[in-house]
Amino acid sequence: MKKIILLLCFAPLLLASTCNDDDEAIFCTTEAVAALNVTVRLGNSTTPTSDGVTVVATDGNYSETLQVINTTNPIFIGAFERQGNYTITVSKEGYQTFTSGVISITRDECHVIPELINVALVAN
């Protein structure tokens, strides 16, 4: 009788150890993720701005002007769910144009991995 009770107690552990983790389903959200998220500041300011600022992302022949959704906390976003090797150009009248190095965007099983880019424009 004790053997049966022990067997029943340990059976779930034995069965659990035989599960194949490779068969687990991956559940992805339906939201579109912005690959590029650019915050722009003027000079030494700690306050982000979008006023009069243009941010353009380029990947080969692909080019997109990034948009600001929330002017209270202005972050330029774009390249939704798009992998690539981007160069970011930030411009504003009265300031030197900023051009980034190459920013590589990759993805996981569900979405692109967002990059957060901070730019401080220098006055002319």
Side-chain angles (χ1 to χ4, degrees), residues 5-31:
I5 293 174
L6 283 174
L7 183 62
L8 291 174
C9 288
F10 289 108
L13 293 174
L14 293 172
L15 293 173
S17 67
T18 61
C19 291
N20 187 351
D21 289 338
D22 293 338
D23 293 339
E24 289 184 22
I26 296 174
F27 297 100
C28 298
T29 62
T30 57
E31 70 180 327

Side-chain angles (χ1 to χ4, degrees), residues 2-124:
K2 288 182 182 179
K3 290 181 183 179
I4 293 175
I5 293 174
L6 283 174
L7 183 62
L8 291 174
C9 288
F10 289 108
L13 293 174
L14 293 172
L15 293 173
S17 67
T18 61
C19 291
N20 187 351
D21 289 338
D22 293 338
D23 293 339
E24 289 184 22
I26 296 174
F27 297 100
C28 298
T29 62
T30 57
E31 70 180 327
V33 174
L36 301 170
N37 300 269
V38 182
T39 301
V40 179
R41 292 178 174 79
L42 303 179
N44 293 328
S45 174
T46 58
T47 305
T49 187
S50 61
D51 191 34
V53 176
T54 302
V55 179
V56 177
T58 306
D59 175 22
N61 292 330
Y62 176 83
S63 181
E64 176 182 349
T65 301
L66 304 187
Q67 303 296 313
V68 172
I69 304 300
N70 179 357
T71 56
T72 305
N73 183 26
I75 299 174
F76 291 86
I77 60 174
F80 284 87
E81 296 298 347
R82 190 176 188 283
Q83 286 181 255
N85 295 306
Y86 293 92
T87 301
I88 303 292
T89 304
V90 181
S91 58
K92 176 178 172 61
E93 189 173 324
Y95 290 83
Q96 296 175 21
T97 299
F98 169 84
T99 303
S100 74
V102 174
I103 300 165
S104 295
I105 300 296
T106 59
R107 68 178 305 112
D108 60 18
E109 302 84 17
C110 297
H111 298 288
V112 293
I113 309 300
E115 285 290 326
L116 308 174
I117 300 114
N118 291 299
V119 175
L121 292 180
V122 177
N124 285 336

